[in-house]
Amino acid sequence: MMKNGYGPVWVIVEQRDCRIRTVSLQLMGRAQKLAAGLNTTAEAVLFGNLMEHHVRPLFAAGADRVFLGSNPQLAFYEPEIYVRAIVRLAQEHEPEIILLGSTAMGRELAPLVAARLQTGLTAHCIDLVLDENNILEQHIPAYGGLLSIICPQKRPQMATIAKGVFPMPEPDPNRSGEIIPVTVPEDVSPRLQTLEVVHEVPDEIPLESAAIVVAGGAGAGDPDGWRQIADLADALNAALGCTRPVVDEGWAPLESMIGQSGRMVSPELYIGVGLSGEQQHMVGITGAKVMVAINNDAKSPVFDQVDYGVVDDCRAFVPVLIKKIKAYQKNQVTC
Amino acid sequence: MNIVVCVKAVPDPQQACNIRIDPVTKTLMRCQVPLVLNALDKNAMRAALDLKEQFDVHITALSMGPPDAEGIVRECLALGADQGILLSDRAFAGADAYATAYTLATAIAKIGPVDVVFCGMASSDGSTEWVGPEIATFLDLPVVTMVEEIVECRGPQWKVKASLAHGYRLMQVQLPAVFTVTRKLNTPRALVFSGIINARKKSIVRWGIDDLGVPAEAVGLKGSPTIVSKLTTTQSKREVEILTGTREEKATQLLKKLVDSGVV
Amino acid sequence: MIDFTFTEEQEMFRKSAREFAETKVAPKVAEMEATGEVCDEVVKALGEAEMMALTIPEEYDGLGLGYIARLICLEEISRVSVATAMMLQVFALGIEPIIKFGTEEQKKKYLPALAKGERLASTAVTEATGGSDPTGIRTSYRKEGNDYILNGRKCFITNSHIADTITTLAKDNENPKTFSTFILEKGMEGFKPTHKEHKLGMRGCNTGELAIENCRVPAENLLGGEGKGMRVALGAIGDVGRGGMVGCALGLQAACLEASVKFANERILYGKPISNLQTIQNKLAQMKIDLEAGRLLGYRAAAIQDNGGRSSNEFAAAKYFTTEAAQKAAKMAVDIHGGYGCMEEYAVSRYLRDSFVLGPSAGTSDIMKVIIARWVLS
């Protein structure tokens, strides 16, 4: 079959309990823009069970077609089945681009598909644009600047992107599209099976929606210093995030790490305490209205990226700041 | 039982922030940062060593890197690996994750029948998380990424827990298989003197492209589907105001600024 | 000629020692400073990390690693805690006479437990009447049947209250010019630690007095033969003791330099970090020169020792140089920190106090010069 123009732009969509996950909708929005730039279609690939009546948001977000595998066997992410099905579809439809969310599933599925298709894959992109040759430029932060990665020859061009990098698209309820059913591959060996999926409900304020985010870094020094930073977050009713060194020390879980391969936040106020403004962390903060840093090194790169800076030992400064905040809050109590 | 642990020499993360893009030439500024064993690879090593305590296990530490990377392979021998292999050749340089995984997979196939491949989930440089799964694909093995607990490992069918953002999935895997591990899985073993002494009698083999018998187009920069097309420097859009005064004064000022901006 | 590089294996020893110091010792420094007492967890960790086994031969369950390896470990541990390095170095000092002069039975009896850290060692020479002049000691022994009866008091003994085996120097009651060394064991009747010193520095390292009253010591605890006491006791002090001080001093020098560089880069005066100022750079340069020179003196002496040569003179020079340099470095570090240098929360104030204790340990600087003059004039 002669192909005119470019193959479609695909998003491998993720669902949980029949709800399309936020990152997939955000990617769908971006896919639609990229498809427009290539004069081709934006399409979704979705597996799950009983999903037939839940795909409308994908069309509203920009999909022209949805390849839907809706089947009890596909209810959970089964790596071998999903990979086989996606690869078969890709070999048939030859997408130009495939995007996946940087979720646990996406980060495993993407390389399995890419290796099978013998193509390139970029991780944790913070932007995707088409260059002058309509090749997908995949931007990742590194070495204090930005790397543009391209996959010049092989197709499809593949990338994973975290939730929050792209905005939620304005849903267009008038958009509709085609649903193409996908059959489950029968010939997959049972060498790998999902026995159980357990979701735990996080009890902290979710980082992505917090108005105030306090993020701590290695400057906390030890668990006592970390506790002070957590107290600051409490005092401000803020969500508490961290950098990678904090996760390495074991003071905070990986789920609270803000950054390129962690969580993305866009608060009104961001306060970075005892962190150096490492790029991998700072790209996790988009569109904060006010940014503050507390760090004892006047030469720290973090001070180039914030509105207000305090050069001081965070372990000494944070308790004083907490005192002031509490005093202010007391005065604010109105009848 | 034959276990291969894939390990990587990375610039010391404590000093890696000194490697920067030169804003004028748009290339990486030369910087002497020492190479260390990637942190998550130590968790992978420990997973293999724990199995060695329970079963009859032979551990190979495998790494693709420049000649300097031999130090971290020897460190793995000192930690308890039985044999080390360093894939080092100019032809391997410039590899992206795909080409790296292809090269490592070819070496694993050359080692012989393998029961388990452990990798750290990601490296502290690069940090794509792709190499483990892609090795699995090239070897046609099942893979579980982000392993946080090995629940059952007696016999050829394992049960492991893989991390989700909040929660986990319990996977049943038929060996041989590839596992990428997280920090949660274990606490790495300390490097001890008797281990360093025992490493004296263990060998590190070096393989180049001829030893692997692969064409030059399949490895290194030539074998990489992705390339870096350009480096750019980013400009911050914020102008910082550094607060001055005593500690008390700075705290008062800061709070006032935040209240005035309406964010508190 | 000379290869001044460390081998890959030695670099791994250093890495292992540094990781140990930072993960097992550093968290306990504050507690040791506050109490002045030895931290049991640190002693246990040292044993588990095989630190006491370094110089003990393999046939007695040691690692047989030699004195360069030992110096590397001491340097790395001292960088984090001089007190811990001092304690560790004196373990080796108490072990050395047994290695060098012990009978096969003595070595088999004592060394394996010492290698595992199950038992701890020390050496007791100094008394109120002689440290710099060991011939002035008054602790004496007399023969009684197959045993010896010892009487006396030792002071300023490192690990006095924690050691299980203490190689002790005493003089013959009948012949005051004759000396012998004995292995005294904790719990022996008539032998006990008494007064604990409260030092201004090296807090976390136990220093104290030993009281010996009609202590009956069996003949099999005589070390190296009657009349050989000076050679046995002082031989170890000359290289292992001085070498240990070099390790303590080098680690402290490195710590002073690191802290000074960090502070100088962070402290802003006149709109720039003070590391831009020549007076500060002058001090940093001096610290660096002294550290490089001290390392060369120390590792060369250790290399001679590893090759089986006599190294006590070279170690005298290294001990003098590095302990003096450490005291200067600590003072410069405090000066660079300005007012902050006097505050306990800044490590440099501890470095200054620790540096004072380096001087008189294992021979004062003046005695080192006497020894070196003797070397030159011989």
Side-chain angles (χ1 to χ4, degrees), chain B residues 23-189:
Chain B
V24 173
T25 64
K26 301 286 195 285
T27 53
L28 285 189
M29 297 200 270
R30 289 219 148 273
C31 199
Q32 270 285 67
V33 178
L35 294 176
V36 298
L37 178 59
N38 178 46
L40 279 167
D41 296 348
K42 294 185 195 172
N43 298 90
M45 271 299 307
R46 169 94 199 240
L49 292 168
D50 285 346
L51 287 166
K52 199 174 166 69
E53 276 177 8
Q54 297 178 60
F55 310 111
D56 181 18
V57 165
H58 180 275
I59 302 174
T60 305
L62 173 67
S63 186
M64 186 183 96
D68 285 358
E70 186 163 312
I72 61 112
V73 179
R74 192 158 298 283
E75 192 177 324
C76 290
L77 295 182
L79 287 169
D82 298 291
Q83 149 111 75
I85 299 177
L86 178 63
L87 306 175
S88 190
D89 196 308
R90 259 202 208 107
F92 298 153
D96 70 357
Y98 183 97
T100 303
Y102 179 79
T103 311
L104 288 167
T106 309
I108 295 172
K110 186 180 158 78
I111 288 171
V114 160
D115 299 284
V116 176
V117 178
F118 282 122
C119 305
M121 181 189 116
S123 63
S124 58
D125 69 342
S127 198
T128 60
E129 302 172 34
W130 300 156
V131 172
E134 297 200 334
I135 288 175
T137 304
F138 292 130
L139 294 173
D140 193 21
L141 294 180
V143 59
V144 184
T145 59
M146 298 179 71
V147 174
E148 64 174 43
E149 189 183 328
I150 298 177
V151 174
E152 178 59 60
C153 56
R154 286 174 197 288
Q157 208 166 64
W158 280 21
K159 287 200 176 80
V160 303
K161 274 191 194 168
S163 299
L164 297 174
H166 299 283
Y168 62 87
R169 49 194 173 103
L170 182 64
M171 308 300 291
Q172 183 169 277
V173 199
Q174 187 80 20
L175 297 191
V178 176
F179 300 98
T180 78
V181 306
T182 67
R183 226 159 251 116
K184 255 191 183 166
L185 180 63
N186 55 41
T187 308
R189 297 249 179 106

Side-chain angles (χ1 to χ4, degrees), chain A residues 16 21 77-80 103-108 110-124 131-132 137-140 142-154 159-160 190-202 204 211-212 236 244 247-248 254-255 261 263 268-269 271 277-279 287-292 294 298 301 303-313 316-317 320-321 323-325 328, chain B residues 11 13-14 16-22 28 39-40 96-98 121-146 148 157-159 161-176 180 182-184 223-244 246-255 257-264:
Chain A
R16 179 178 297 170
R21 294 190 71 179
Y77 162 54
E78 283 288 2
E80 306 252 295
T103 59
M105 177 182 109
R107 285 143 87 172
E108 188 177 270
L112 294 176
V113 170
R116 280 244 160 59
L117 295 176
Q118 298 179 352
T119 185
L121 171 63
T122 306
H124 311 304
D131 74 4
E132 59 274 11
E137 248 184 35
Q138 302 147 43
H139 292 177
I140 59 172
Y143 311 117
L146 209 64
L147 295 189
S148 297
I149 313 264
I150 58 172
C151 182
Q153 310 291 344
K154 301 284 188 178
T160 65
R191 64 188 186 175
L192 178 62
Q193 283 174 10
T194 306
L195 296 181
E196 198 188 356
V197 176
V198 173
H199 290 300
E200 286 148 12
V201 179
E204 297 94 17
I212 306 180
L236 289 167
R244 189 174 279 285
V247 175
D248 289 348
L254 184 60
E255 295 85 70
S261 46
R263 312 281 288 274
E268 297 249 296
L269 169 62
I271 305 181
E278 255 304 286
Q279 197 185 21
K289 188 168 165 209
V290 175
M291 292 182 61
V292 176
I294 302 163
F303 289 125
D304 294 326
Q305 304 173 71
V306 298
D307 301 298
Y308 301 112
V310 173
V311 180
D312 201 348
D313 181 353
F317 183 78
V320 173
L321 182 60
K323 254 188 13 219
K324 302 271 175 200
I325 292 168
Y328 169 76
Chain B
Q14 302 211 331
C17 50
N18 295 332
I19 306 175
R20 285 238 165 309
I21 300 177
D22 185 316
L28 285 189
L40 279 167
D96 70 357
Y98 183 97
M121 181 189 116
S123 63
S124 58
D125 69 342
S127 198
T128 60
E129 302 172 34
W130 300 156
V131 172
E134 297 200 334
I135 288 175
T137 304
F138 292 130
L139 294 173
D140 193 21
L141 294 180
V143 59
V144 184
T145 59
M146 298 179 71
E148 64 174 43
Q157 208 166 64
W158 280 21
K159 287 200 176 80
K161 274 191 194 168
S163 299
L164 297 174
H166 299 283
Y168 62 87
R169 49 194 173 103
L170 182 64
M171 308 300 291
Q172 183 169 277
V173 199
Q174 187 80 20
L175 297 191
T180 78
T182 67
R183 226 159 251 116
K184 255 191 183 166
S224 300
T226 63
I227 55 167
V228 178
S229 65
K230 54 179 186 267
L231 280 69
T232 45
T233 48
T234 48
Q235 291 290 85
S236 175
K237 308 175 202 79
R238 295 179 197 255
E239 277 258 4
V240 67
E241 182 187 335
I242 302 277
L243 306 181
T244 54
T246 64
R247 187 166 287 153
E248 293 273 336
E249 286 168 355
K250 289 194 280 202
T252 307
Q253 273 181 66
L254 178 61
L255 184 56
K257 301 246 185 237
L258 297 181
V259 170
D260 289 346
S261 316
V263 291
V264 160

Side-chain angles (χ1 to χ4, degrees), chain B residues 36-37 42 70-71 74-75 78 189-197 199-200, chain C residues 8-9 12-17 19 48-51 54 58 63-65 73:
Chain B
V36 298
L37 178 59
K42 294 185 195 172
E70 186 163 312
R74 192 158 298 283
E75 192 177 324
R189 297 249 179 106
L191 188 59
V192 291
F193 300 130
S194 46
I196 298 172
I197 292 171
R200 285 177 193 160
Chain C
E8 196 186 84
E9 192 179 88
M12 266 205 278
F13 288 141
R14 185 178 292 280
K15 187 169 204 285
S16 173
E19 274 174 19
E48 282 166 358
E50 306 167 320
M51 292 283 177
L54 298 177
E58 284 176 275
L63 294 176
L65 278 177
C73 289

